[in-house]
Amino acid sequence: PPYNATVIERLVSEDGIIVGKTNMDEFAMGCSTEYSGFKPTRNPIDITRVPGGSSGGSASTVSSGAVPVSLGTDTGGSVRQPASFCGVVGFKPTYGRVSRYGLVAFASSLDQIGPIARNVGDAALVYSVIAGKDEYDATTFDEPIENPFLPLNNIDIERVRFALPVEFFGEGLQCSVRETFTYAIKKANLKVNEISVPMLKYAVPVYYIIAPAEMSSNLARYDGVRYGIRENSNDLIEMYELTRTKYLGVEVKRRIMIGTFVLSAGYYEAYFGKAAKARRLLTDAIENVFEKYDFILCPTTPTTAFKLGEKLKDPIEMYLGDVYTTLANLAGVPAISIPCGKDEQGLPVGMQIIAKKLMDKKLLECAREIELRLKEG
Ligand code: GLN
């Protein structure tokens, strides 16, 4: 690329060493890194399994010990879900906290860059370097990041109120994920209350309308004219068709079709318009929860890392894996995944903690406290 993203410039200015770029699902669309334009990445904990996605390369590289920290983008879970599958920490900051200048846009109202690290302290350190106002990204907040980020203060966890949405503990949740998560809550001695937020069941359907709609528009520029490679033809429309047919991957094409369909004149109100309204209601419902509770707590993913190829035949099943992560993107709030134990096969289980908008520091402090408590004994 002809220039660096702001996050890279900021890391380099703090003497960060950029080792390289890692593998991912094409245009960050996917949950397993199997939709990579290259080859799939494997999970270093069990190489017959996926590392999650779309930032599968970033998570597996940290998990295997090749680098201490990496970056990913989280539009619907792509930092937290691979972190969970690979047994490391993944943090999605509040929408607008980290500049996206230099990032290839997927769904502009959802995208956020975040760190993947071996522990919460390292994630907080990287976050404190990359976060903050950037004149090149108009969505970044003016408020300075709360300093000092390090050391993170200890919080009085006994007084923290955690909400556990019952909607997240039903169908589709792997038994051993539920057991490991429940055991971790006990071990960390967290005060949890069950709550019900009926709107939560719409998070995945709303996400899979809004994200494809925005991406179909963002990816229109990859038509062979200005960006990327071109298939030549004397006819302009044919050149677009040949180029996009040949060079875009199967999942990206599927989403362009969904996205252009839900935005098309006859269906706009029925699909995109409705999803936008549902997103507002969902956000309101979440803000309501934060009137009474400090954090929402749930597993990061309904299952642990699955086998390569296992979900490729059924896109819907793949999408349903995003059931706990998409909420934070739709509501623009910060969320983190920390390892909280292992399932019966020794695969890592992630605990997700979600906080109110701009409570990134408090969220990191809470996550670090839980991390410490889970390590004890
Ligand atoms: N798995 C989600 C998707 O496929 C999330 C992707 C992301 O956060 N980049 O859209």
Side-chain angles (χ1 to χ4, degrees), residues 6-161:
T6 297
V7 286
I8 301 301
E9 288 293 333
R10 290 192 178 173
L11 287 170
V12 169
S13 75
E14 291 292 333
D15 293 338
I17 300 166
I18 306 300
V19 174
K21 292 188 181 188
T22 51
N23 196 18
M24 60 190 285
D25 287 298
E26 185 181 0
F27 287 106
M29 291 159 207
C31 313
S32 66
T33 320
E34 291 167 296
Y35 293 128
S36 164
F38 305 95
K39 292 265 169 73
T41 293
R42 288 163 188 269
N43 191 318
I45 292 164
D46 174 350
I47 59 164
T48 65
R49 292 174 189 272
V50 302
S54 61
S55 312
S58 295
S60 63
T61 311
V62 172
S63 171
S64 65
V67 292
V69 292
S70 63
L71 296 177
T73 58
D74 193 312
T75 301
S78 279
V79 163
R80 290 161 287 154
Q81 185 258 25
S84 172
F85 278 14
C86 292
V88 291
V89 171
F91 172 45
K92 182 201 92 73
T94 297
Y95 177 78
R97 218 55 187 109
V98 177
S99 166
R100 294 170 300 164
Y101 179 70
L103 170 74
V104 175
F106 166 3
S108 306
S109 76
L110 303 164
D111 298 340
Q112 184 60 189
I113 297 174
I116 295 178
R118 284 182 294 207
N119 53 56
V120 177
D122 285 358
L125 178 62
V126 172
Y127 168 69
S128 70
V129 172
I130 61 175
K133 180 81 192 154
D134 179 13
E135 59 171 314
Y136 294 124
D137 179 351
T139 62
T140 50
F141 284 102
D142 275 329
E143 289 100 319
I145 50 166
E146 293 170 285
N147 269 321
F149 257 92
L150 290 170
L152 294 169
N153 299 323
N154 278 339
I155 63 165
D156 187 0
I157 204 105
E158 318 293 333
R159 301 180 62 181
V160 171
R161 295 153 305 169

Side-chain angles (χ1 to χ4, degrees), residues 148-341:
F149 257 92
L150 290 170
L152 294 169
N153 299 323
N154 278 339
I155 63 165
D156 187 0
I157 204 105
E158 318 293 333
R159 301 180 62 181
V160 171
R161 295 153 305 169
F162 292 96
L164 233 57
V166 289
E167 286 75 14
F168 282 173
F169 292 86
E171 202 192 333
L173 176 59
Q174 187 182 310
C175 255
S176 50
V177 169
R178 178 206 293 265
E179 280 160 18
T180 308
F181 173 80
T182 312
Y183 178 74
I185 288 179
K186 280 213 192 81
K187 188 169 180 200
N189 202 11
L190 308 179
K191 305 273 170 300
V192 298
N193 273 325
E194 284 191 356
I195 56 158
S196 172
V197 186
M199 277 307 290
L200 283 178
K201 63 172 175 289
Y202 299 111
V204 165
V206 166
Y207 172 83
Y208 277 98
I209 290 175
I210 289 181
E214 292 187 16
M215 79 67 110
S216 70
S217 155
N218 274 328
L219 264 65
R221 74 191 67 158
Y222 295 95
D223 57 6
V225 175
R226 204 165 158 190
Y227 301 103
I229 11 185
R230 175 187 300 182
E231 275 298 280
N232 278 317
S233 162
N234 291 332
D235 179 68
L236 180 68
I237 302 291
E238 193 181 78
M239 187 280 284
Y240 292 155
E241 281 174 6
L242 290 174
T243 301
R244 286 167 76 84
T245 304
K246 180 155 181 197
Y247 295 113
L248 293 175
V250 52
E251 179 62 19
V252 170
K253 281 189 241 180
R254 177 161 35 237
R255 293 190 192 207
I256 289 173
M257 288 190 283
I258 298 172
T260 44
F261 175 78
V262 299
L263 288 176
S264 59
Y267 296 99
Y268 183 92
E269 256 321 304
Y271 292 99
F272 188 77
K274 210 168 194 169
K277 285 179 195 148
R279 178 182 186 178
R280 180 72 255 164
L281 293 175
L282 184 63
T283 307
D284 289 349
I286 291 309
E287 280 168 5
N288 234 337
V289 174
F290 290 128
E291 298 277 307
K292 282 213 201 94
Y293 294 93
D294 301 293
F295 302 105
I296 295 172
L297 207 60
C298 57
T300 308
T301 54
T303 70
T304 48
F306 45 89
K307 296 260 185 197
L308 270 105
E310 196 180 315
K311 297 200 177 174
L312 278 179
K313 284 208 182 71
D314 187 351
I316 303 283
E317 211 196 313
M318 191 83 106
Y319 298 166
L320 283 174
D322 297 334
V323 58
Y324 308 141
T325 48
T326 45
L327 157 72
N329 306 81
L330 291 167
V333 298
I336 192 167
S337 175
I338 61 170
C340 76

